[in-house]
Structure formats: C-alpha cells, structure tokens
C-alpha cells in the first residue's frame, strides 16, 4: 500500500504538505510525493526519484501556452499514477484535481482526500461543478479558509484546515509602539505583487516612518525588483528565501505584518480569488502577536475587525502612511492580544477536529491494505 500525494508545484510552494507527511508517518503509512519542476528547461517530460519524492521535470510555458503545459502535466502524471498503482491519493488544490479527474473518478472514488487551498477557475460554472463532484466523492475535503464557503456548495465532506504551527518560544508579546522608531512592516511568504500591493510599495517607498521588509522567494512573475530600481525606493528590503525555523527571528524584528492583497482598486471589484483565502501570516499573527495590515473587502478583513487583529486599508489610499501610523498610535494592546487568544483557541479546536478525522482515515486506509 502506497499513498500518492499530488503537488502542482515544488516543495517550497507547498508548505502545507508537511502536515500530511507528519500524519502519514505517525500512522506508519507509506507514501510518495509527486512534484512538478516547472522551471525545468526540458520540453520532453521525464521523471526522477529521490527517496519517496518524485519529480516531473517538464517546462511550464507562460501565457496561452500554459494550458498545453497543464494538459501535458496531467497526461504524464495520470500515466505515472496508473503505473505506480497507488492505493489512495491526496490531491492538493483544485486545478490539478480537475485535470486528473478522469483517472480519479475511474479508479479512486472514495479513496482520496481533496485539499482546497485557493479559488481558481470556479467562476466558470462547469469547473465549479467538477470541483463539487470531486468534493462529494472524496473521503474528506479540507479547506484552508471558511471564506471559500462563499463559492463552494454545502457538503458534509468539507472541513476547515488551518496552517497553524505552535512556536516553541512562548515569550512573544504584542509590539510596543511607544518608541519613536520606524515601523518594521514585514511580508513573509512567496513574494508577488497585485494591484494594491504594487500601489502600496510605491506609496510607502520613500516613507521615513515605515520600513517595508519582504522575506521569501520572489516569484518569477513578480516585478518588485524593477519597481525598486525604477522608482528609486529607499525603504524596501528583500531578504530572500527563509527556512520555517527562522520565522521566530523574523517576527522578533517585525512590528506589523503585511497581508495586503487585492487585485482591484475598489472593494466591490475584488475577485473571490483575492477576497476569500487566508494567508499563513494570519496564523503567524496569532502565534507571534503581531498586528495585521490587510485589504478592506476581504474575508481576512472581516476576521481582523471581529477579533481586533489590525488595521484594514486600501493599497491605493494616498494617506496610507497616515492610516498605518495612526493605528500604531491608538493601538489597543489588550484588545489585540485577547482577540489573538480567542481566535487561536477556535482555530486550535477546529484543527484538532481535522487531525482526528485525518488520523481515522489513514487508519482505515492502512487496515484496508488496498
């Protein structure tokens, strides 16, 4: 018996994979992970294996040609799954799951976990129907944000799954904004820009009161380096990729967490792909007690308001610096920390329920032995 975990990216872009690996190891269930090396220069696909990790080296083209790359990926992965005869699958994200649907529906009904991380092509009626069919034939469908319930149909298979990790350092407390020092404003994760974040980078680019720090891999589609150079920005610092173990150090040097992300200037125009997900930085805020700066009109902003987690802005606001500085001057430390504790308790309860159900599924898979 071997479980196949299907990833549409590399390991660095799939941090939530580790949770499934740990639980499979605890259940003593064998597994293999199929990664896609998109940056390979090879136009002809080939597989290479390192331990229980399998890499598909196959160049992913950009623009309209990307659809052909996706089709090629699905063809090669389907053949590999058939050849390996996996007993069960864990499908990470909607697009790869839909691409593999013929194989999944033919051989794995009721034998897979369908993990939904993002809103992708669900605005298309047929795609959303295919997603819901995958949901209904899964063992379980974890979703990384309850904001997704705005576009998913109701199903007993759906369960919240939170990307929260507990810090070994319990000495963190909320920042002290009483000192007259520049605010350390940090983005932690894969670095990419949308309309609001690009506008914000430029607006705050010469601020003496706010220093913008970006920790993480700059994605190939992100032009932040060009913007810094072209505009001569003086307060934007790119620190490059980091190890998850470095998060505690990063957040010790952080006052506010940058969670601004919205591909529209007006709140009512923000697409569901931007308004409904929850970033890992939310959980970082709850663990490390660092307030959020997030985009108005998003599900994250709703949580921020409900639990007093930070300030909601529009990246296009001309008075952005003033909004952020005023928040720090009127910062209610107790309300913020109480809100973090309250939401963290709810998240922990839901995460424990998720882990219990996954453990039961893995136990059943192992007992079935097929």
């Amino acid at each position: 018996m071997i479980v196949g975990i299907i990833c549409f990216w590399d390991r660095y872009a799939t941090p939530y994979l580790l949770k499934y690996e740990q639980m499979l190891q605890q259940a003593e269930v064998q597994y293999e992970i199929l990664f896609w090396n998109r940056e390979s220069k090879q136009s002809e696909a080939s597989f290479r294996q390192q331990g229980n990790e399998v890499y598909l080296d196959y160049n992913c083209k950009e623009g309209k040609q990307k659809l052909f790359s996706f089709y090629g990926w699905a063809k090669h992965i389907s053949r590999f799954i058939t050849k390996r005869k996996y007993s069960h699958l864990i499908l990470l994200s909607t697009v790869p799951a839909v691409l593999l649907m013929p194989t999944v529906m033919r051989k794995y009904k009721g034998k897979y976990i369908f993990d939904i991380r993002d809103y992708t092509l669900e605005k298309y009626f047929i795609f959303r129907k295919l997603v819901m069919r995958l949901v209904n034939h899964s063992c379980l469908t974890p979703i990384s944000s309850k904001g997704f319930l705005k576009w998913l149909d109701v199903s007993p298979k759906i369960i919240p799954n939170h990307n929260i990790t507990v810090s070994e350092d319990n000495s963190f407390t909320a920042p002290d904004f009483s000192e007259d020092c520049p605010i350390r404003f940090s983005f932690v994760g894969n670095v990419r820009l949308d309309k609001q974040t690009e506008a914000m980078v430029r607006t705050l680019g010469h601020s003496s009161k706010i220093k913008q720090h970006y920790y993480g891999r700059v994605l190939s589609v992100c032009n932040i380096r060009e913007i810094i150079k072209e505009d001569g920005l003086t307060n934007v610092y790119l620190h490059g990729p980091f190890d998850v173990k470095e998060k505690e150090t990063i957040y010790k040097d952080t006052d506010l967490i940058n969670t601004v992300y919205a591909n529209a200037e007006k709140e009512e125009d923000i697409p569901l792909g931007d308004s409904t997900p929850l970033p890992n930085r939310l959980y970082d805020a709850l663990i490390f007690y660092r307030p959020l700066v997030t985009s108005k009109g998003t599900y994250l902003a709703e949580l921020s308001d409900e639990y007093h987690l930070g300030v909601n802005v529009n990246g296009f606001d001309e008075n952005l610096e003033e909004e952020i500085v005023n928040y720090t001057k009127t910062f209610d430390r107790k309300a913020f920390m109480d809100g973090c504790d309250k939401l963290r308790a709810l998240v922990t309860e839901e995460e424990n329920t998720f882990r219990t159900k996954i453990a039961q599924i893995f136990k059943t898979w192992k007992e079935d032995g097929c």
Side-chain angles (χ1 to χ4, degrees), residues 18 22-23 70 78 80 98-99 125 140-141 149 177 192 237 249 252 266 276 281 300-301 309 324 333 344 355 365:
L18 181 61
Q22 291 172 339
M23 296 190 72
F70 282 11
S78 293
F80 192 89
V98 169
L99 288 170
F125 176 79
L140 194 70
T141 297
L149 297 175
F177 293 113
R192 56 178 178 167
Y237 306 91
T249 301
K252 282 180 179 177
K266 297 180 180 179
T276 58
R281 281 157 285 154
L300 179 58
L309 300 181
I324 294 173
R333 202 162 184 270
R344 188 174 64 248
R355 287 180 174 272
W365 287 0

Side-chain angles (χ1 to χ4, degrees), residues 167-195:
S167 169
E168 294 180 2
D169 184 349
N170 60 1
S171 64
F172 279 87
T173 187
D176 183 0
F177 293 113
S178 60
E179 297 181 12
D180 188 20
C181 298
I183 297 165
R184 297 166 299 182
F185 185 38
S186 297
F187 178 99
V188 182
N190 284 327
V191 181
R192 56 178 178 167
L193 297 181
D194 68 324
K195 292 179 181 179

Side-chain angles (χ1 to χ4, degrees), residues 56-109:
L56 171 61
D57 293 319
Y58 180 57
N59 180 255
C60 182
K61 296 179 174 61
E62 295 299 327
K64 295 180 180 179
Q65 294 296 312
K66 181 178 281 191
L67 292 175
F68 294 101
S69 297
F70 282 11
Y71 171 77
W73 174 88
K75 179 181 68 174
H76 295 299
I77 293 295
S78 293
R79 288 176 179 172
F80 192 89
I81 290 172
T82 300
K83 180 181 178 181
R84 292 293 288 149
K85 297 181 179 178
Y86 293 122
S87 58
H88 303 82
L89 298 177
I90 299 176
L91 305 170
L92 302 181
S93 200
T94 56
V95 171
V98 169
L99 288 170
L100 296 174
M101 200 163 181
T103 298
V104 173
M105 290 294 103
R106 188 169 66 252
K107 299 181 179 180
Y108 292 98
K109 277 186 180 179

Side-chain angles (χ1 to χ4, degrees), residues 3 21-22 63 72 105 133 139 165 199 222 254 263 271 282 313 339 354:
V3 174
E21 289 185 272
Q22 291 172 339
M105 290 294 103
R133 189 178 178 206
C139 295
T165 55
C222 178
T254 294
N263 227 340
L282 165 65
V313 302
F354 160 79

Side-chain angles (χ1 to χ4, degrees), residues 225-270:
R225 291 190 181 94
E226 289 76 11
I227 291 173
I228 293 171
K229 185 177 180 179
E230 291 169 6
D231 289 20
L233 305 184
T234 58
N235 72 343
V236 183
Y237 306 91
L238 304 181
H239 298 274
F242 62 90
D243 188 279
V244 67
K245 296 177 183 177
E246 299 177 80
K247 271 193 174 184
E248 291 183 7
T249 301
I250 290 171
Y251 282 114
K252 282 180 179 177
D253 292 330
T254 294
D255 297 312
L256 296 175
I257 301 177
N258 178 355
T259 55
V260 173
Y261 192 83
N263 227 340
E265 184 171 356
K266 297 180 180 179
E267 293 174 39
E268 59 269 25
D269 294 334
I270 297 175

